[in-house]
Amino acid sequence: MCPVFLSLVTASCTRSVAVKESTDPGNIFEFETTGGGKGLDMWLEREGRVEDHPEARAGVWDWGYCRKRAEKKAEMADRQCGILVSKEERSVSAVISAQKVQKRPEDFTEEGDGGHNRAPEKTIKMPPAWSMPLPVCLIENEGSSLVVNKEAVDILQQISDPIIVVAIVGKYRTGKSFLMNRLVGRNGGFPLGSSIQSKTKGIWMWCVPHPRNPGHVLVLLDTEGLGDVEKGDSKNDAWIFSLTVLLSSALVYNSMGTIDQQAIEQLHYVTQLTEIVKTKSGNSRDGSAAEKELLPSFTWCVRDFSLILERDGKEITEDEYLMMGLELKSGENNENYNLPRECIRKFFHSHKCFVFDRPTSKKNLKRLDELKESELGEEFVEQAAKFYNHIMKSCSVKLLTGGITVTGKLLGKLASMYVDTIQSGSVPCMENAVLALSEIENNGALQDALSTYESEMERHAPKFPTLNEGEFLKMHQKSEMKADQVFMKRSLNNKWKYHLELKNQISEKRHEFMKRNEAKSIEVSTNLLKNLSLTMQNGLMQGRYTRQGGHKCFLVDKERFLERYHRMPGKGVKSLEVLVKFMHENKNIEEAIQLAEEKMGQAEKRLTESHQQTRLAQLRKESVERRHRDLQKSVDQQRTNQQQVLNSLTDMAERNKRQMIRENQTLITQRLQAQQSTLTSTHQQALDELQRTIEQLRQNNQTQSGGGGGGRCILS
């Protein structure tokens, strides 16, 4: 983080502040005030350094705003304490470093302002899983051997974002580590030393999220000092220098004093780059523009610089000062003079220079990592801010041959490859490293992509069986697309051979998943058929289909069964095939039912014919019997009728007889009366005759009564 130096007049007025330590791995503190002010004010009163505030370190504050706020705070503090201080004495010497702000604080207010401009709660982002509170050694220097530290490689394996690698080299005890620590916004981190002994051994690494490029990681490499008298092995220095060049995207060379012949001679390792580093394999020459882009940019930091940047009486820039020092001399005797300068121009695609005053007094150098910003030289702080801005703005992502973007994972593998090559006695070659790395990464990408395809298809597997092949194809295409994305993200040069192999293996996996989908479809369809056919099986066992008309009943149940099967969802791609197989297996049952019904029909026909004949005979018999009964009934009826007629005639004869008797009696009575009347008649003869007639009538009556015959009474 870019440092900001605040020259504040200390105020005697303070406010109570409660400080609580967070559990954040970065040892971030949260500040709570009991008054109306906020954390920045309290921090200024407590520490006097904005750049050390946790939120400032987290990259969430606008440094320009903080500077203005600090000035206002100082002025308000002066007024409250009654101190008359000039504006110049209160001015803040600061440089805005955070151009891209994730969140800026609101206007912090003084105590008693009512809290109208309180800052909102700050949310500090959680550090990534690979968070490094302190640097670790990447390449250890054990005697004459170089060894890659597994802990550092494990950390790099967790970083899949593009990385910007800034490495610093230079003579030992020249303040390299202190300068690198300031790129992180801290005084401590890379170990510092105040004695003549070198503190850093090997190559140390510190990975932090890039403060200005989200999704990128800033990797700082601090190297052991070159020319350490205790080491005494210049070859080891050459390998450290070459590894730094190979691994970095920005190389910072740190030296003391000025850029003169002695300083350039101390950079003699650059003249050995053609011997100890190759960008291409074979006998091809290095140095093309495209190949230079693969090498880092070059930044020369001149420490404890005390000269005036002038040339021929004209003011020059730091970059012009560097290029002046790299100017070549004409003449055959200047080969040794020109060689390091030509190498610097040749191997690095861009050149930049910064000059620094001494950061503090000589007596304070031994506790440099303990000093507050206010104890550092103002000029040094401003120069350090310019250096910080350049590194954060201009340094690019590390690239390899073919435009491959280097991630933390690739950096760890590159470091291991280069160290193994050096230890084997060979010359590290960027092209060969890229080829080997490409093979490793492409194989890894193939396996990752294949695993992604399998995991995606396994995620879809619970949906088996698919409705149709088109639905399965969509699942396959989505999974294949994600697998391709994984492969393309990790794969490097010459990827198409591996991509073709990936397609072939995915095709095999697709076939396996298709078989699983079909097997699931067969299982579901078979179980469904078993469940739906239970009704027909029960009907078969109960004999519903083994009687006359059973085949027709079977066909009705079969049609209902097929309709229910087709209507049920989730059967999958093999549903029709399973149904056809099921119907074929049960075809014999239907044929047996049909044949049984035909035989039953023939027997029924014969039986029916027999029954019909029997029935006909029975009907005939019944007809005869019925006619006989009818005839008998008719005879009986006739007899009854005759009897009734006879009875009726008898009754009528009896009635007629009684009527005749009554009539005769009446007539007798009348005759008697007439006889009585004629008794007086004078003629006795007539009376006698009458007496005879009466006697005759009496005889006739007796005859009628006894013989049943009736005669007629004739009166004369």
Side-chain angles (χ1 to χ4, degrees), residues 22 24-26 28 30 54-55 57-60 100-103 122-128 131 209-211 213-215:
S22 170
D24 189 285
I28 294 176
E30 299 176 357
E55 290 187 357
R57 289 184 179 180
V60 298
K100 186 170 184 179
V101 182
Q102 298 171 346
K103 186 198 305 183
K122 305 296 185 300
T123 302
I124 305 300
K125 290 186 175 180
M126 293 300 294
S131 177
H210 200 286
N213 294 332

PDB file of all heavy atoms in Angstrom, residues 22 24-26 28 30 54-55 57-60 100-103 122-128 131 209-211 213-215:
ATOM      1  N   SER A  22      -9.625  -8.051  16.188  1.00  0.00           N
ATOM      2  CA  SER A  22     -10.438  -8.962  15.382  1.00  0.00           C
ATOM      3  C   SER A  22      -9.763 -10.305  15.281  1.00  0.00           C
ATOM      4  O   SER A  22      -8.564 -10.441  15.516  1.00  0.00           O
ATOM      5  CB  SER A  22     -10.663  -8.364  13.992  1.00  0.00           C
ATOM      6  OG  SER A  22     -11.239  -9.309  13.148  1.00  0.00           O
ATOM      7  N   ASP A  24      -9.466 -11.701  12.499  1.00  0.00           N
ATOM      8  CA  ASP A  24      -8.987 -11.737  11.109  1.00  0.00           C
ATOM      9  C   ASP A  24      -7.527 -12.154  11.078  1.00  0.00           C
ATOM     10  O   ASP A  24      -6.718 -11.685  11.897  1.00  0.00           O
ATOM     11  CB  ASP A  24      -9.158 -10.351  10.491  1.00  0.00           C
ATOM     12  CG  ASP A  24      -8.884 -10.366   9.006  1.00  0.00           C
ATOM     13  OD1 ASP A  24      -7.703 -10.451   8.657  1.00  0.00           O
ATOM     14  OD2 ASP A  24      -9.848 -10.305   8.228  1.00  0.00           O
ATOM     15  N   PRO A  25      -7.138 -13.047  10.147  1.00  0.00           N
ATOM     16  CA  PRO A  25      -5.745 -13.506  10.086  1.00  0.00           C
ATOM     17  C   PRO A  25      -4.765 -12.374   9.881  1.00  0.00           C
ATOM     18  O   PRO A  25      -3.604 -12.478  10.238  1.00  0.00           O
ATOM     19  CB  PRO A  25      -5.744 -14.465   8.889  1.00  0.00           C
ATOM     20  CG  PRO A  25      -7.159 -14.878   8.753  1.00  0.00           C
ATOM     21  CD  PRO A  25      -7.981 -13.713   9.183  1.00  0.00           C
ATOM     22  N   GLY A  26      -5.185 -11.290   9.268  1.00  0.00           N
ATOM     23  CA  GLY A  26      -4.289 -10.164   9.013  1.00  0.00           C
ATOM     24  C   GLY A  26      -4.122  -9.267  10.217  1.00  0.00           C
ATOM     25  O   GLY A  26      -3.557  -8.182  10.116  1.00  0.00           O
ATOM     26  N   ILE A  28      -6.284  -7.475  11.815  1.00  0.00           N
ATOM     27  CA  ILE A  28      -6.976  -6.220  11.579  1.00  0.00           C
ATOM     28  C   ILE A  28      -7.729  -5.818  12.843  1.00  0.00           C
ATOM     29  O   ILE A  28      -8.325  -6.633  13.506  1.00  0.00           O
ATOM     30  CB  ILE A  28      -7.932  -6.357  10.387  1.00  0.00           C
ATOM     31  CG1 ILE A  28      -7.109  -6.578   9.119  1.00  0.00           C
ATOM     32  CG2 ILE A  28      -8.812  -5.135  10.233  1.00  0.00           C
ATOM     33  CD1 ILE A  28      -7.946  -6.818   7.909  1.00  0.00           C
ATOM     34  N   GLU A  30     -10.601  -3.264  14.791  1.00  0.00           N
ATOM     35  CA  GLU A  30     -11.780  -2.439  14.612  1.00  0.00           C
ATOM     36  C   GLU A  30     -11.798  -1.420  15.740  1.00  0.00           C
ATOM     37  O   GLU A  30     -11.468  -1.731  16.871  1.00  0.00           O
ATOM     38  CB  GLU A  30     -13.050  -3.296  14.664  1.00  0.00           C
ATOM     39  CG  GLU A  30     -13.103  -4.342  13.569  1.00  0.00           C
ATOM     40  CD  GLU A  30     -14.318  -5.223  13.710  1.00  0.00           C
ATOM     41  OE1 GLU A  30     -15.056  -5.036  14.694  1.00  0.00           O
ATOM     42  OE2 GLU A  30     -14.505  -6.080  12.844  1.00  0.00           O
ATOM     43  N   PRO A  54      -6.120  -0.186   9.670  1.00  0.00           N
ATOM     44  CA  PRO A  54      -6.484  -1.477   9.035  1.00  0.00           C
ATOM     45  C   PRO A  54      -7.284  -1.323   7.763  1.00  0.00           C
ATOM     46  O   PRO A  54      -7.038  -2.021   6.784  1.00  0.00           O
ATOM     47  CB  PRO A  54      -7.296  -2.180  10.128  1.00  0.00           C
ATOM     48  CG  PRO A  54      -6.821  -1.587  11.413  1.00  0.00           C
ATOM     49  CD  PRO A  54      -6.474  -0.158  11.105  1.00  0.00           C
ATOM     50  N   GLU A  55      -8.242  -0.400   7.741  1.00  0.00           N
ATOM     51  CA  GLU A  55      -9.053  -0.244   6.538  1.00  0.00           C
ATOM     52  C   GLU A  55      -8.227   0.357   5.411  1.00  0.00           C
ATOM     53  O   GLU A  55      -8.478   0.089   4.242  1.00  0.00           O
ATOM     54  CB  GLU A  55     -10.284   0.614   6.828  1.00  0.00           C
ATOM     55  CG  GLU A  55     -11.274  -0.091   7.711  1.00  0.00           C
ATOM     56  CD  GLU A  55     -12.564   0.684   7.875  1.00  0.00           C
ATOM     57  OE1 GLU A  55     -12.668   1.797   7.340  1.00  0.00           O
ATOM     58  OE2 GLU A  55     -13.455   0.150   8.533  1.00  0.00           O
ATOM     59  N   ARG A  57      -5.054  -0.315   5.012  1.00  0.00           N
ATOM     60  CA  ARG A  57      -4.283  -1.460   4.510  1.00  0.00           C
ATOM     61  C   ARG A  57      -5.138  -2.388   3.658  1.00  0.00           C
ATOM     62  O   ARG A  57      -4.659  -3.036   2.750  1.00  0.00           O
ATOM     63  CB  ARG A  57      -3.698  -2.241   5.683  1.00  0.00           C
ATOM     64  CG  ARG A  57      -2.566  -1.495   6.386  1.00  0.00           C
ATOM     65  CD  ARG A  57      -1.963  -2.349   7.477  1.00  0.00           C
ATOM     66  NE  ARG A  57      -0.865  -1.659   8.135  1.00  0.00           N
ATOM     67  CZ  ARG A  57      -0.172  -2.198   9.136  1.00  0.00           C
ATOM     68  NH1 ARG A  57      -0.464  -3.418   9.550  1.00  0.00           N
ATOM     69  NH2 ARG A  57       0.814  -1.525   9.700  1.00  0.00           N
ATOM     70  N   ALA A  58      -6.417  -2.464   3.997  1.00  0.00           N
ATOM     71  CA  ALA A  58      -7.320  -3.329   3.232  1.00  0.00           C
ATOM     72  C   ALA A  58      -7.674  -2.737   1.882  1.00  0.00           C
ATOM     73  O   ALA A  58      -8.323  -3.380   1.074  1.00  0.00           O
ATOM     74  CB  ALA A  58      -8.600  -3.579   4.026  1.00  0.00           C
ATOM     75  N   GLY A  59      -7.258  -1.519   1.613  1.00  0.00           N
ATOM     76  CA  GLY A  59      -7.494  -0.922   0.296  1.00  0.00           C
ATOM     77  C   GLY A  59      -8.889  -0.383   0.104  1.00  0.00           C
ATOM     78  O   GLY A  59      -9.388  -0.358  -1.006  1.00  0.00           O
ATOM     79  N   VAL A  60      -9.536   0.059   1.202  1.00  0.00           N
ATOM     80  CA  VAL A  60     -10.913   0.522   1.053  1.00  0.00           C
ATOM     81  C   VAL A  60     -11.025   2.035   1.196  1.00  0.00           C
ATOM     82  O   VAL A  60     -12.119   2.582   1.139  1.00  0.00           O
ATOM     83  CB  VAL A  60     -11.847  -0.155   2.086  1.00  0.00           C
ATOM     84  CG1 VAL A  60     -11.865  -1.640   1.882  1.00  0.00           C
ATOM     85  CG2 VAL A  60     -11.413   0.195   3.517  1.00  0.00           C
ATOM     86  N   LYS A 100      -8.066   3.303  -7.465  1.00  0.00           N
ATOM     87  CA  LYS A 100      -9.263   2.458  -7.575  1.00  0.00           C
ATOM     88  C   LYS A 100      -9.689   2.068  -6.182  1.00  0.00           C
ATOM     89  O   LYS A 100      -9.027   1.291  -5.525  1.00  0.00           O
ATOM     90  CB  LYS A 100      -8.977   1.192  -8.402  1.00  0.00           C
ATOM     91  CG  LYS A 100     -10.237   0.365  -8.655  1.00  0.00           C
ATOM     92  CD  LYS A 100      -9.936  -0.705  -9.644  1.00  0.00           C
ATOM     93  CE  LYS A 100     -11.198  -1.480  -9.970  1.00  0.00           C
ATOM     94  NZ  LYS A 100     -10.976  -2.526 -10.954  1.00  0.00           N
ATOM     95  N   VAL A 101     -10.804   2.623  -5.703  1.00  0.00           N
ATOM     96  CA  VAL A 101     -11.245   2.461  -4.327  1.00  0.00           C
ATOM     97  C   VAL A 101     -12.437   1.533  -4.291  1.00  0.00           C
ATOM     98  O   VAL A 101     -13.395   1.720  -5.027  1.00  0.00           O
ATOM     99  CB  VAL A 101     -11.613   3.830  -3.723  1.00  0.00           C
ATOM    100  CG1 VAL A 101     -12.038   3.660  -2.270  1.00  0.00           C
ATOM    101  CG2 VAL A 101     -10.435   4.783  -3.833  1.00  0.00           C
ATOM    102  N   GLN A 102     -12.365   0.520  -3.452  1.00  0.00           N
ATOM    103  CA  GLN A 102     -13.508  -0.362  -3.288  1.00  0.00           C
ATOM    104  C   GLN A 102     -14.598   0.311  -2.475  1.00  0.00           C
ATOM    105  O   GLN A 102     -15.773   0.143  -2.736  1.00  0.00           O
ATOM    106  CB  GLN A 102     -13.079  -1.649  -2.592  1.00  0.00           C
ATOM    107  CG  GLN A 102     -12.065  -2.424  -3.403  1.00  0.00           C
ATOM    108  CD  GLN A 102     -11.498  -3.568  -2.632  1.00  0.00           C
ATOM    109  OE1 GLN A 102     -11.656  -3.645  -1.424  1.00  0.00           O
ATOM    110  NE2 GLN A 102     -10.821  -4.463  -3.306  1.00  0.00           N
ATOM    111  N   LYS A 103     -14.221   1.122  -1.463  1.00  0.00           N
ATOM    112  CA  LYS A 103     -15.200   1.817  -0.639  1.00  0.00           C
ATOM    113  C   LYS A 103     -14.486   2.994   0.004  1.00  0.00           C
ATOM    114  O   LYS A 103     -13.375   2.849   0.481  1.00  0.00           O
ATOM    115  CB  LYS A 103     -15.740   0.874   0.437  1.00  0.00           C
ATOM    116  CG  LYS A 103     -16.861   1.502   1.238  1.00  0.00           C
ATOM    117  CD  LYS A 103     -17.076   0.767   2.526  1.00  0.00           C
ATOM    118  CE  LYS A 103     -17.315  -0.703   2.331  1.00  0.00           C
ATOM    119  NZ  LYS A 103     -17.579  -1.372   3.598  1.00  0.00           N
ATOM    120  N   LYS A 122     -18.006  -0.319   8.140  1.00  0.00           N
ATOM    121  CA  LYS A 122     -17.100  -0.820   7.107  1.00  0.00           C
ATOM    122  C   LYS A 122     -17.120  -2.341   7.116  1.00  0.00           C
ATOM    123  O   LYS A 122     -17.099  -2.958   8.170  1.00  0.00           O
ATOM    124  CB  LYS A 122     -15.661  -0.340   7.344  1.00  0.00           C
ATOM    125  CG  LYS A 122     -15.555   1.167   7.454  1.00  0.00           C
ATOM    126  CD  LYS A 122     -15.941   1.838   6.158  1.00  0.00           C
ATOM    127  CE  LYS A 122     -15.722   3.324   6.219  1.00  0.00           C
ATOM    128  NZ  LYS A 122     -16.467   4.006   7.246  1.00  0.00           N
ATOM    129  N   THR A 123     -17.155  -2.921   5.960  1.00  0.00           N
ATOM    130  CA  THR A 123     -17.114  -4.379   5.841  1.00  0.00           C
ATOM    131  C   THR A 123     -15.778  -4.773   5.234  1.00  0.00           C
ATOM    132  O   THR A 123     -15.500  -4.469   4.068  1.00  0.00           O
ATOM    133  CB  THR A 123     -18.248  -4.896   4.950  1.00  0.00           C
ATOM    134  OG1 THR A 123     -19.490  -4.482   5.509  1.00  0.00           O
ATOM    135  CG2 THR A 123     -18.194  -6.420   4.863  1.00  0.00           C
ATOM    136  N   ILE A 124     -14.952  -5.382   6.021  1.00  0.00           N
ATOM    137  CA  ILE A 124     -13.641  -5.811   5.539  1.00  0.00           C
ATOM    138  C   ILE A 124     -13.792  -7.155   4.847  1.00  0.00           C
ATOM    139  O   ILE A 124     -14.355  -8.082   5.400  1.00  0.00           O
ATOM    140  CB  ILE A 124     -12.639  -5.931   6.699  1.00  0.00           C
ATOM    141  CG1 ILE A 124     -12.572  -4.616   7.476  1.00  0.00           C
ATOM    142  CG2 ILE A 124     -11.260  -6.317   6.180  1.00  0.00           C
ATOM    143  CD1 ILE A 124     -12.131  -3.439   6.662  1.00  0.00           C
ATOM    144  N   LYS A 125     -13.283  -7.248   3.633  1.00  0.00           N
ATOM    145  CA  LYS A 125     -13.392  -8.503   2.893  1.00  0.00           C
ATOM    146  C   LYS A 125     -12.565  -9.586   3.568  1.00  0.00           C
ATOM    147  O   LYS A 125     -11.457  -9.329   4.028  1.00  0.00           O
ATOM    148  CB  LYS A 125     -12.918  -8.313   1.449  1.00  0.00           C
ATOM    149  CG  LYS A 125     -13.857  -7.463   0.624  1.00  0.00           C
ATOM    150  CD  LYS A 125     -13.398  -7.449  -0.810  1.00  0.00           C
ATOM    151  CE  LYS A 125     -14.389  -6.706  -1.689  1.00  0.00           C
ATOM    152  NZ  LYS A 125     -13.967  -6.686  -3.089  1.00  0.00           N
ATOM    153  N   MET A 126     -13.099 -10.755   3.612  1.00  0.00           N
ATOM    154  CA  MET A 126     -12.358 -11.877   4.172  1.00  0.00           C
ATOM    155  C   MET A 126     -11.174 -12.197   3.282  1.00  0.00           C
ATOM    156  O   MET A 126     -11.275 -12.148   2.057  1.00  0.00           O
ATOM    157  CB  MET A 126     -13.260 -13.098   4.292  1.00  0.00           C
ATOM    158  CG  MET A 126     -14.370 -12.944   5.319  1.00  0.00           C
ATOM    159  SD  MET A 126     -13.718 -12.657   6.978  1.00  0.00           S
ATOM    160  CE  MET A 126     -12.908 -14.233   7.282  1.00  0.00           C
ATOM    161  N   PRO A 127     -10.047 -12.517   3.873  1.00  0.00           N
ATOM    162  CA  PRO A 127      -8.884 -12.852   3.050  1.00  0.00           C
ATOM    163  C   PRO A 127      -9.104 -14.157   2.307  1.00  0.00           C
ATOM    164  O   PRO A 127      -9.888 -14.993   2.736  1.00  0.00           O
ATOM    165  CB  PRO A 127      -7.766 -12.991   4.089  1.00  0.00           C
ATOM    166  CG  PRO A 127      -8.458 -13.326   5.364  1.00  0.00           C
ATOM    167  CD  PRO A 127      -9.774 -12.608   5.301  1.00  0.00           C
ATOM    168  N   PRO A 128      -8.405 -14.348   1.182  1.00  0.00           N
ATOM    169  CA  PRO A 128      -8.554 -15.602   0.437  1.00  0.00           C
ATOM    170  C   PRO A 128      -7.993 -16.779   1.217  1.00  0.00           C
ATOM    171  O   PRO A 128      -7.296 -16.605   2.225  1.00  0.00           O
ATOM    172  CB  PRO A 128      -7.757 -15.331  -0.848  1.00  0.00           C
ATOM    173  CG  PRO A 128      -6.781 -14.255  -0.487  1.00  0.00           C
ATOM    174  CD  PRO A 128      -7.467 -13.400   0.544  1.00  0.00           C
ATOM    175  N   SER A 131      -4.296 -16.841   1.985  1.00  0.00           N
ATOM    176  CA  SER A 131      -3.808 -15.608   2.606  1.00  0.00           C
ATOM    177  C   SER A 131      -2.450 -15.836   3.265  1.00  0.00           C
ATOM    178  O   SER A 131      -2.228 -16.805   3.990  1.00  0.00           O
ATOM    179  CB  SER A 131      -4.822 -15.123   3.642  1.00  0.00           C
ATOM    180  OG  SER A 131      -4.344 -13.972   4.294  1.00  0.00           O
ATOM    181  N   PRO A 209      -3.440 -10.016  -2.572  1.00  0.00           N
ATOM    182  CA  PRO A 209      -4.364  -9.570  -3.621  1.00  0.00           C
ATOM    183  C   PRO A 209      -3.903  -8.236  -4.196  1.00  0.00           C
ATOM    184  O   PRO A 209      -3.497  -7.333  -3.459  1.00  0.00           O
ATOM    185  CB  PRO A 209      -5.707  -9.435  -2.878  1.00  0.00           C
ATOM    186  CG  PRO A 209      -5.566 -10.310  -1.673  1.00  0.00           C
ATOM    187  CD  PRO A 209      -4.132 -10.242  -1.285  1.00  0.00           C
ATOM    188  N   HIS A 210      -3.967  -8.118  -5.499  1.00  0.00           N
ATOM    189  CA  HIS A 210      -3.534  -6.867  -6.117  1.00  0.00           C
ATOM    190  C   HIS A 210      -4.485  -5.751  -5.701  1.00  0.00           C
ATOM    191  O   HIS A 210      -5.701  -5.862  -5.842  1.00  0.00           O
ATOM    192  CB  HIS A 210      -3.518  -7.004  -7.648  1.00  0.00           C
ATOM    193  CG  HIS A 210      -2.672  -5.975  -8.318  1.00  0.00           C
ATOM    194  ND1 HIS A 210      -3.069  -4.665  -8.441  1.00  0.00           N
ATOM    195  CD2 HIS A 210      -1.445  -6.063  -8.892  1.00  0.00           C
ATOM    196  CE1 HIS A 210      -2.128  -3.983  -9.077  1.00  0.00           C
ATOM    197  NE2 HIS A 210      -1.124  -4.815  -9.356  1.00  0.00           N
ATOM    198  N   PRO A 211      -3.955  -4.637  -5.170  1.00  0.00           N
ATOM    199  CA  PRO A 211      -4.839  -3.575  -4.648  1.00  0.00           C
ATOM    200  C   PRO A 211      -5.620  -2.836  -5.721  1.00  0.00           C
ATOM    201  O   PRO A 211      -6.605  -2.174  -5.406  1.00  0.00           O
ATOM    202  CB  PRO A 211      -3.860  -2.638  -3.926  1.00  0.00           C
ATOM    203  CG  PRO A 211      -2.540  -2.892  -4.557  1.00  0.00           C
ATOM    204  CD  PRO A 211      -2.535  -4.337  -4.956  1.00  0.00           C
ATOM    205  N   ASN A 213      -6.101  -4.243  -9.220  1.00  0.00           N
ATOM    206  CA  ASN A 213      -6.646  -5.133 -10.252  1.00  0.00           C
ATOM    207  C   ASN A 213      -7.363  -6.301  -9.593  1.00  0.00           C
ATOM    208  O   ASN A 213      -6.739  -7.325  -9.279  1.00  0.00           O
ATOM    209  CB  ASN A 213      -5.534  -5.664 -11.169  1.00  0.00           C
ATOM    210  CG  ASN A 213      -4.909  -4.564 -11.994  1.00  0.00           C
ATOM    211  OD1 ASN A 213      -5.544  -3.567 -12.297  1.00  0.00           O
ATOM    212  ND2 ASN A 213      -3.638  -4.738 -12.336  1.00  0.00           N
ATOM    213  N   PRO A 214      -8.660  -6.163  -9.373  1.00  0.00           N
ATOM    214  CA  PRO A 214      -9.396  -7.291  -8.777  1.00  0.00           C
ATOM    215  C   PRO A 214      -9.258  -8.540  -9.644  1.00  0.00           C
ATOM    216  O   PRO A 214      -9.243  -8.469 -10.872  1.00  0.00           O
ATOM    217  CB  PRO A 214     -10.847  -6.791  -8.759  1.00  0.00           C
ATOM    218  CG  PRO A 214     -10.746  -5.296  -8.812  1.00  0.00           C
ATOM    219  CD  PRO A 214      -9.521  -4.996  -9.627  1.00  0.00           C
ATOM    220  N   GLY A 215      -9.160  -9.679  -8.984  1.00  0.00           N
ATOM    221  CA  GLY A 215      -8.994 -10.927  -9.731  1.00  0.00           C
ATOM    222  C   GLY A 215      -7.555 -11.205 -10.114  1.00  0.00           C
ATOM    223  O   GLY A 215      -7.289 -12.164 -10.840  1.00  0.00           O
TER     224      GLY A 215
END
